[in-house]
Amino acid sequence: MSDDAAGSDASERRLGETALPAGYELRETTPSVAAFRRLRRDAGMTDRSREAGERGLPNTTYGVHVVETETESAVGMARIVGDGGSIFHLTDTAVAPPQQGRGIGTAMVDALVAWLRENAPEGAYVDLLADVDGFYERWGFERTAPASKALGIRTEEL
């Protein structure tokens, strides 16, 4: 297995129920730190430091990534972080541009939502920050403004 596809969870298992195009496989684990950083950059997201990936990925509540089976290269990822009981945050959903439009992002979010349905306690809050319109609504996500507003700050600004 290439370093690019090696996940942070040694007990990796594959999902057979999520439909993906031939030549792709969804794995229930996060990608390697190198693949995590590459996928974020390739998808136009802010890069994260190696240290951030090394510290953050093992603290994932549930994560998936998709590999191109011929090369074992990670081409997509998505994960849930949170406290495991009352709050779950979908984050780091990214698909490499050459593979976009093939259902990879949909398969990954399907897997996250299926996991939440089985594991999140009743009344838990699930949120996400999206930079695309019209993608997450199919799973029931709705804008929360004006009732609530997302706020943020980067550590260099603290």
Side-chain angles (χ1 to χ4, degrees):
M1 180 181 294
S2 75
D3 175 58
D4 196 45
S8 60
D9 180 357
S11 64
E12 172 180 291
R13 62 188 172 102
R14 292 155 175 70
L15 286 179
E17 60 197 51
T18 305
L20 282 169
Y24 296 93
E25 186 175 86
L26 186 127
R27 298 179 180 174
E28 288 186 290
T29 183
T30 56
S32 68
V33 172
F36 167 79
R37 295 185 68 208
R38 176 185 49 78
L39 285 167
R40 286 188 60 86
R41 287 189 308 267
D42 289 354
M45 299 165 71
T46 305
D47 193 9
R48 299 288 186 242
S49 69
R50 173 167 276 290
E51 178 187 9
E54 289 171 348
R55 290 172 66 177
L57 289 175
N59 291 308
T60 298
T61 301
Y62 176 73
V64 298
H65 73 285
V66 171
V67 297
E68 187 175 40
T69 54
E70 186 176 311
T71 63
E72 283 292 308
S73 179
V75 299
M77 65 178 178
R79 64 191 189 115
I80 299 169
V81 298
D83 65 12
S86 65
I87 186 74
F88 297 87
H89 179 75
L90 276 65
T91 189
D92 299 321
T93 302
V95 177
Q99 281 80 23
Q100 291 176 2
R102 298 181 183 179
I104 293 169
T106 298
M108 293 187 305
V109 177
D110 277 349
L112 298 185
V113 170
W115 185 91
L116 286 164
R117 285 186 180 129
E118 286 192 24
N119 295 282
E122 186 175 333
Y125 186 71
V126 180
D127 69 358
L128 59 89
L129 298 173
D131 57 0
V132 295
D133 289 324
F135 181 72
Y136 295 97
E137 289 80 357
R138 69 185 92 172
W139 292 278
F141 289 94
E142 300 174 332
R143 294 185 181 279
T144 59
S148 62
K149 298 176 187 171
L151 304 173
I153 190 170
R154 296 212 184 272
T155 54
E156 60 271 14
E157 299 169 6
L158 292 176

